[in-house]
């Protein structure tokens, strides 16, 4: 039985048909994964710093006013930390899977797809922990586009989604601008 996530129903007849080599998609996924790993390494200390700053601001507000200051709560630090760690793990998964796809290993597709899913779950936990919906929307768009390209990508020897060949136009016979002129009329 096929996995609905790694082999969705639209894979056989996708709505947007483009021939994308799996090797190219794998390289793009690998590079995006490396960028995600770098951002994850930056986000880990940043989440601790954010927690420290917000906690000290809340303590200062309580000391000055003597009451609990609404609006300076520290969020749910544990969920934000788990979200950052899941995003980091997801980036490692889809970087590794992308480079396996680049080496023409078919199991790389599954790793890229699962890595994207883990990263999105981590992004949702980050939103619950500290907010930041704007970066999640950007991550979601990138993940959806990359997921679609991974699913429709073709390995060498697979049937292409779009037939290739001469389509007319300049330099592409038959019937294009590069075809020979018609014979002159007979007298």
């Amino acid at each position: 039985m096929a996995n609905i996530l790694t082999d969705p129903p639209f894979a056989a007849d996708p709505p947007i048909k483009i021939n994308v080599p799996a090797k190219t998609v794998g390289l793009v996924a690998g590079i995006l994964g490396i960028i995600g790993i770098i951002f994850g390494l930056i986000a880990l200390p940043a989440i601790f710093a954010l927690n420290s700053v917000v906690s000290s601001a809340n303590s200062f507000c309580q000391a000055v006013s003597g009451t609990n200051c609404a609006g300076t709560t520290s969020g749910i630090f544990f969920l934000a930390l788990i979200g950052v760690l899941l995003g980091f793990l997801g980036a490692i998964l889809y970087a590794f899977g992308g480079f396996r796809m680049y080496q023409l290993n078919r199991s790389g597709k599954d790793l890229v797809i699962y890595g994207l899913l883990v990263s999105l779950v981590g992004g949702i936990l980050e939103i619950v922990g500290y907010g930041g919906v704007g970066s999640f929307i950007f991550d979601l768009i990138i993940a959806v586009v990359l997921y679609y390209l991974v699913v429709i990508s073709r390995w060498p020897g697979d049937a292409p989604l779009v037939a290739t060949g001469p389509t007319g136009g300049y330099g592409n016979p038959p019937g294009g601008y590069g075809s020979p002129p018609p014979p002159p009329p007979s007298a």
Side-chain angles (χ1 to χ4, degrees):
M1 182 173 177
N3 185 345
I4 192 86
L5 189 63
T6 58
D7 191 22
F10 71 84
D13 187 25
I16 301 173
K17 294 174 180 52
I18 52 176
N19 291 329
V20 182
K23 188 171 184 167
T24 305
V25 173
L27 183 63
V28 170
I31 291 171
L32 287 175
I34 295 295
I35 292 170
I37 290 170
I38 292 170
F39 283 157
L41 289 173
I42 293 170
L44 277 173
I47 199 78
F48 284 108
L50 180 65
N51 185 50
S52 175
V53 167
V54 170
S55 294
S56 63
N58 192 16
S59 299
F60 177 74
C61 182
Q62 285 178 355
V64 170
S65 67
T67 62
N68 190 7
C69 301
T72 59
T73 59
S74 61
I76 305 171
F77 173 70
F78 179 71
L79 285 179
L81 180 63
I82 296 296
V84 168
L85 290 174
L86 281 176
F88 183 68
L89 176 67
I92 290 171
L93 275 174
Y94 70 80
F96 184 66
F99 288 123
R100 287 186 73 164
M101 283 179 68
Y102 181 71
Q103 296 170 347
L104 299 178
N105 188 336
R106 292 182 185 263
S107 66
K109 268 188 171 185
D110 296 342
L111 287 175
V112 171
I113 291 170
Y114 291 137
L116 290 170
L117 179 68
V118 168
S119 290
L120 287 178
V121 169
I124 292 170
L125 290 177
E126 285 179 50
I127 289 173
V128 172
Y130 274 118
V133 177
S135 67
F136 177 74
I137 291 172
F138 179 74
D139 291 345
L140 181 65
I141 292 170
I142 296 294
V144 167
V145 170
L146 188 59
Y147 172 75
Y148 183 78
L149 290 175
V150 166
V151 167
I152 69 165
S153 65
R154 298 291 186 224
W155 300 102
D158 287 353
L161 288 174
V162 180
T164 58
T167 58
Y170 184 72
N172 294 322
Y177 296 112
S179 59
S186 57

